[in-house]
Amino acid sequence: MHRLFARQRAQATTPDGGVDLDMLGRLVTEAYEQTERDHRRADRSITLMVDELDQLNRTLERQVAERTVALANRETELREQNLRFDAALSNMSQALLMFDANSRLVIFNKRYCEMYGLSPDDIKPGMLLADLLHRRQAVGTYSGNPDEYAVALKAMIARGETFNTSIELPNGRTIEICNSPMPDGGWVATHEDITERRRAEKVIAHMAHHDSLTDLPNRVLFQERLADTLLHTKNGNRLAVFYLDLDNFKAVNDTLGHQFGDELLKRVAERLRGCVDDNITVARVGGDEFAVILPDLASLDDAAALAERICEAIREPYDLFGHGVVTETSIGIAIAPDDGTLPNHLLKNADMALYRAKADGRGVFRFFEAEMDATIKARRALENSLREALVEGQFTLHYQPILNLDDNRIPCCEALIRWKHPERGMVAPGEFIPVAEEMGLIVAIGEWVLRQACADAATWPNNTKVAVNLSPIQMLNAKLVPVVVGALAAAGLPASRLELEITESVLMQNTEATVAALHQLRSLGVRISMDDFGTGFSSLSYLRRFPFDKLKIDRCFISDLSKDDESGLAIVRSVTALANSLGMVTTAEGVETAEQLDLVRMVGCTEVQGYYIGRPQPLKEVSRLLADNLPRQAKSA
Ligand code: C2E
Ligand code: MG
Ligand code: MG
């Protein structure tokens, strides 16, 4: 019997042991009803639970779907990142390796294989560093002991130290290796091919110490070597320093052009090198300046013999691009310890000796002597005061009249520079022009003369010209034409009133540039005269190189002229005839006497200049003379 029914029957059992059927029926009905209620409740909660589970399920599904998309995205991202990383790794100019704490390879790139000639089979992630090095040894790109190296490197990495080194490969490449530890005990190794960088560094270091044109040591290296040689010169031993410069380098450079100048310097450098042994330093210390260190000098004769040899070697003609060029060198020699023990002091003294060598005729050598110092100091003082003279306005121009023998008037005055020196008084150009030329200061002085002469001439009667002397150095200056044009413009003087006097030496260094400049000036209307004709090489051929307007026959032909001097007269006559036939005016310079005047007139000169006609005089006086420019009564002897 069911326990519930047993309980219901017990409840419905009357005290007499009978069963109250009504009661039992009620109890049973109640129980059914209760059960139904329970069932219904249970059904409801089950429905609720199912709903809830359903919802939960949907949420979960959504979340899973979302996560799946996110994961897929992340995966794509990672894949892309990996691709990028791979691309970066395989396109790196450096080789890169990554090892874990157990010295096993984690990552490597293609560059590493290329750098060390490894095939893809030689290298695999997971392999030990030592094994990798053995592979490299097999292909000939590792020369050390792989096992020892791996142990030593591991120890350094374990100590957290970076290990840098560089190696030379059998193919001549230089590789710089850097091993940097990582926090997890592994390390990253980069291998960089620094061959080109090293090469560039070497070239730069070489360039810093050598002259690029001749490849000789430069001044810096020369001074280092001199200091070093002096330091290692034993007591009692001597050393010689030569200071050389080429005697007419500037002319070659200016007349033939820099290309020729450069080529000449190269050839000179080769010859210098050929004159000395390898242990002797030959350096290029300036434009056309060279220096030599002669260590362990046994006797001064040895230095003299080498200097002689050098002078001879340099003197041999050069063939520069088919042009024959001749140059010479002057050499100054200073001896250590006699003439100094410091590099700069020795160089200065060698330079002074060079100065003397040049003054003594060029193409020679001179040993330094103590008294040179004084001479050079005086010369330097002159140079300094010349520079000052220009700034301080100590120059002035005097004008010398030139007489035309046809109409006895003064068609032109020659501007002649004077230096009003504060202590020395009036200094003649002969004393300072050559110095100014050597200093290059003549260009600035010449420009001042041009401007002043044009300005002065602009105050003269319209038909009077001014003649200005041009130094050969000025002729070689590229700015000559603009300077002349500027002077004319500033003064408002027509070009036809300016005459420029040049000497034969300008044409001896005949270049297209010089002749072109002369043509340019002439086309402006400026007249060009050949000055001092007969003092240079007196070659009539120079007259063919340029159509001069005027030929000025030098004083030396005129001063000795006399009625009885047949040959002198014949020379002047033929020069005059030739000039006249070429359409040139002829001016006889230095006419001091009436007899000379008659003679030059007789031989056909068209103009005269000289003390007999008038001395060079200040502007004020010459202006007065010109204002009153009446035909002059030619005085006769
Ligand atoms: P130069 O161009 O031949 O000038 C003529 C020189 O002869 C002048 O000398 C003049 O004073 C001198 N002289 C003129 N007539 C006579 C005479 O009858 N007898 C004698 N014994 N001498 C006479 P100065 O002024 O001393 O000039 C000398 C040279 O200096 C000039 O010779 C010229 O070559 C140069 N010079 C003068 N001024 C300048 C200048 O501004 N620039 C340049 N580059 N050179 C100049
Ligand atoms: Mg002159
Ligand atoms: Mg002259």
Side-chain angles (χ1 to χ4, degrees):
M1 190 189 315
H2 194 275
R3 260 184 292 148
L4 178 61
F5 185 66
R7 230 186 302 134
Q8 287 166 341
R9 210 186 68 179
Q11 268 181 288
T13 305
T14 54
D16 56 1
V19 175
D20 182 347
L21 284 176
D22 283 346
M23 193 174 170
L24 184 61
R26 218 172 41 246
L27 284 173
V28 169
T29 307
E30 264 173 28
Y32 274 122
E33 281 170 0
Q34 182 61 38
T35 307
E36 261 171 32
R37 272 198 308 278
D38 286 350
H39 270 283
R40 276 200 304 277
R41 207 178 297 129
D43 278 353
R44 263 202 318 278
S45 35
I46 283 168
T47 313
L48 271 177
M49 246 159 70
V50 166
D51 278 357
E52 241 168 59
L53 276 173
D54 221 31
Q55 219 167 334
L56 204 66
N57 212 14
R58 274 200 301 277
T59 311
L60 272 174
E61 268 173 4
R62 204 179 53 242
Q63 276 179 353
V64 166
E66 276 171 11
R67 294 245 167 103
T68 310
V69 171
L71 271 175
N73 286 347
R74 183 90 191 102
E75 203 180 301
T76 320
E77 225 171 74
L78 273 174
R79 205 177 308 121
E80 277 171 11
Q81 213 167 343
N82 260 345
L83 283 175
R84 278 198 295 268
F85 180 64
D86 268 354
L89 207 61
S90 43
N91 286 305
M92 273 173 74
S93 62
Q94 294 169 321
L96 183 133
L97 303 175
M98 195 194 274
F99 290 91
D100 65 14
N102 300 317
S103 301
R104 288 196 179 275
L105 184 62
V106 181
I107 284 172
F108 66 94
N109 67 356
K110 195 169 80 199
R111 184 81 185 95
Y112 185 82
C113 301
E114 290 164 2
M115 199 175 261
Y116 295 110
L118 296 172
S119 74
D121 295 336
D122 288 325
I123 183 164
K124 289 274 176 299
M127 75 192 296
L128 285 167
L129 167 65
D131 294 336
L132 179 56
L133 294 179
H134 277 292
R135 293 303 314 141
R136 264 177 54 190
Q137 204 167 41
V139 296
T141 51
Y142 184 77
S143 57
N145 181 322
D147 303 300
E148 277 175 18
Y149 178 80
V151 169
L153 178 60
K154 178 81 202 13
M156 289 189 88
I157 296 296
R159 289 196 298 271
E161 290 170 23
T162 297
F163 176 62
N164 293 342
T165 182
S166 64
I167 57 165
E168 292 284 335
L169 292 182
N171 62 4
R173 317 285 310 171
T174 308
I175 311 292
E176 189 176 70
I177 304 169
C178 172
N179 295 288
S180 316
M182 290 191 304
D184 66 357
W187 74 95
V188 173
T190 51
H191 296 235
E192 188 176 4
D193 186 334
I194 56 161
T195 317
E196 307 310 328
R197 199 171 79 201
R198 281 276 162 91
R199 233 172 249 164
E201 281 166 2
K202 265 194 207 143
V203 169
I204 290 166
H206 185 86
M207 274 163 60
H209 287 99
H210 290 81
D211 161 46
S212 60
L213 185 69
T214 60
D215 206 36
L216 288 178
N218 63 11
R219 182 177 278 274
V220 175
L221 184 56
F222 178 80
Q223 287 198 315
E224 278 175 22
R225 294 234 179 119
L226 181 55
D228 201 51
T229 317
L230 280 168
L231 203 70
H232 293 100
T233 299
K234 293 189 195 76
N235 270 351
N237 276 11
R238 294 202 282 190
L239 160 166
V241 173
F242 287 19
Y243 213 99
L244 294 79
D245 103 359
L246 299 184
D247 289 337
N248 61 345
F249 177 71
K250 191 167 164 37
V252 172
N253 219 16
D254 289 345
T255 56
L256 294 172
H258 290 292
Q259 199 195 352
F260 283 77
D262 285 355
E263 189 59 24
L264 179 60
L265 289 172
K266 282 200 234 171
R267 303 286 187 81
V268 165
E270 276 165 25
R271 290 190 190 179
L272 279 173
R273 257 196 229 112
C275 285
V276 299
D277 296 338
D278 285 348
N279 66 327
I280 292 177
T281 297
V282 176
R284 181 176 172 216
V285 292
D288 63 338
E289 292 170 5
F290 297 86
V292 178
I293 305 170
L294 201 57
D296 299 325
L297 197 62
S299 89
L300 292 188
D301 290 345
D302 291 349
L306 175 63
E308 191 64 63
R309 247 190 353 262
I310 291 177
C311 285
E312 267 167 34
I314 302 302
R315 200 175 287 135
E316 286 293 311
Y318 299 79
D319 180 351
L320 305 182
F321 312 115
H323 272 67
V325 169
V326 179
T327 189
E328 286 197 287
T329 183
S330 304
I331 308 178
I333 307 173
I335 305 291
D338 317 46
D339 305 332
T341 49
L342 296 173
N344 280 344
H345 196 187
L346 276 171
L347 273 177
K348 197 183 110 224
N349 288 346
D351 188 27
M352 259 189 244
L354 168 64
Y355 219 81
R356 169 59 60 85
K358 282 176 158 263
D360 285 357
R362 302 174 176 233
V364 295
F365 66 89
R366 291 287 176 265
F367 283 95
F368 172 76
E369 286 162 25
E371 111 283 334
M372 285 177 182
D373 214 7
T375 320
I376 290 192
K377 278 192 181 129
R379 163 72 188 242
R380 298 249 193 268
L382 176 63
E383 289 181 1
N384 286 340
S385 46
L386 253 184
R387 265 191 212 100
E388 221 174 82
L390 188 62
V391 181
E392 301 283 325
Q394 292 170 2
F395 291 119
T396 186
L397 293 180
H398 279 188
Y399 293 95
Q400 186 174 30
I402 295 168
L403 186 73
N404 181 303
L405 290 176
D406 285 338
D407 61 8
N408 288 318
R409 286 179 202 261
I410 299 166
C412 179
C413 294
E414 178 172 2
L416 295 160
I417 192 166
R418 301 288 178 264
W419 178 9
K420 287 185 294 178
H421 192 280
E423 286 121 41
R424 296 161 68 187
M426 208 60 102
V427 185
E431 280 188 56
F432 65 87
I433 294 278
V435 180
E437 284 179 338
E438 273 183 42
M439 292 167 66
L441 194 65
I442 192 67
V443 174
I445 295 179
E447 183 169 354
W448 175 85
V449 172
L450 267 166
R451 291 186 152 262
Q452 191 59 45
C454 288
D456 289 347
T459 67
W460 299 344
N462 277 342
N463 52 359
T464 318
K465 302 185 194 66
V466 66
V468 173
N469 293 285
L470 283 190
S471 147
I473 313 284
Q474 276 175 281
M475 267 319 298
L476 295 172
N477 191 290
K479 294 210 193 90
L480 177 68
V481 177
V483 163
V484 172
V485 171
L488 288 168
L493 188 75
S496 58
R497 287 181 59 197
L498 176 65
E499 286 187 4
L500 295 176
E501 299 192 358
I502 63 165
T503 53
E504 280 171 293
S505 62
V506 170
L507 291 181
M508 274 161 62
Q509 307 159 345
N510 176 30
T511 62
E512 283 168 23
T514 311
V515 175
L518 286 175
H519 275 292
Q520 236 177 317
L521 289 167
R522 203 156 179 269
S523 69
L524 292 171
V526 174
R527 297 159 63 85
I528 312 288
S529 312
M530 160 83 75
D531 200 3
D532 303 344
F533 185 75
T535 53
F537 285 70
S538 314
S539 168
L540 295 172
S541 66
Y542 292 130
L543 297 180
R544 288 174 187 273
R545 297 207 180 151
F546 185 78
F548 288 94
D549 296 290
K550 183 186 277 190
L551 190 76
K552 298 185 77 174
I553 304 167
D554 192 72
R555 195 170 72 219
C556 64
F557 289 96
I558 312 299
S559 56
D560 294 338
L561 224 51
S562 77
K563 274 195 288 263
D564 310 321
D565 175 17
E566 287 293 328
S567 61
L569 281 175
I571 292 172
V572 180
R573 186 180 286 118
S574 52
V575 169
T576 311
L578 175 90
N580 286 344
S581 73
L582 292 170
M584 291 183 224
V585 172
T586 44
T587 308
E589 293 189 283
V591 172
E592 293 183 351
T593 66
E595 189 195 3
Q596 287 167 355
L597 176 66
D598 284 343
L599 289 173
V600 297
R601 188 199 295 275
M602 191 181 81
V603 295
C605 285
T606 37
E607 288 182 353
V608 283
Q609 178 178 2
Y611 293 167
Y612 187 66
I613 313 301
R615 287 187 173 257
Q617 49 203 283
L619 174 69
K620 224 198 272 168
E621 288 168 34
V622 87
S623 296
R624 219 175 295 135
L625 192 74
L626 291 173
D628 184 26
N629 194 1
L630 297 172
R632 310 185 126 231
Q633 192 51 51
K635 299 170 234 173
S636 240

